[in-house]
Amino acid sequence: MNYRCPQCDSARIAVKHTGKRTGSAIGTVAGTVAGVSGATAGAEVGASMGTFAGPAGMLIGGLAGAIFGGLIGGSTGCVAGAKIGESFDGALFDNHECLECGYTFSMPRN
């Protein structure tokens, strides 16, 4: 979309995505913390699946299960946080910034 600065009428406008970035960061941390509990379950499953290869298989299976549990929790939290934060952009935050004069503003939603 072609936005124009309401103060200086410049077309050089940047979108800041403040809510989306903040939500992503908070969601990633929260998802990773929640993924730790999933990681322990994943480690148990991985260890039980690795029993056929002996102690080394249990260790590798347990580590792989824990890593995948944390990754899945973190990425899920990041996506959810980004979507929630995106709803705050424009509604709560001045999401646009003029690169000419530095004025920040929100655009009306369609």
Side-chain angles (χ1 to χ4, degrees):
M1 289 187 180
N2 287 339
Y3 297 123
R4 300 199 72 80
C5 176
Q7 186 167 351
C8 71
D9 202 36
S10 171
R12 294 187 53 211
I13 305 298
V15 182
K16 298 189 307 183
H17 298 295
T18 305
K20 187 175 183 178
R21 289 180 183 167
T22 305
S24 294
I26 292 170
T28 300
V29 171
T32 303
V33 169
V36 167
S37 63
T40 56
E44 290 174 9
V45 170
S48 66
M49 301 215 27
T51 55
F52 70 89
M58 289 176 60
L59 177 67
I60 292 171
L63 284 174
I67 290 170
F68 284 127
L71 286 174
I72 289 170
S75 62
T76 303
C78 180
V79 170
K83 286 294 180 187
I84 292 170
E86 195 173 344
S87 68
F88 289 120
D89 284 337
L92 218 63
F93 303 115
D94 289 337
N95 199 36
H96 296 81
E97 180 178 19
C98 176
L99 298 176
E100 293 290 327
C101 68
Y103 183 70
T104 57
F105 58 97
S106 293
M107 293 301 290
R109 292 189 155 195
N110 294 338

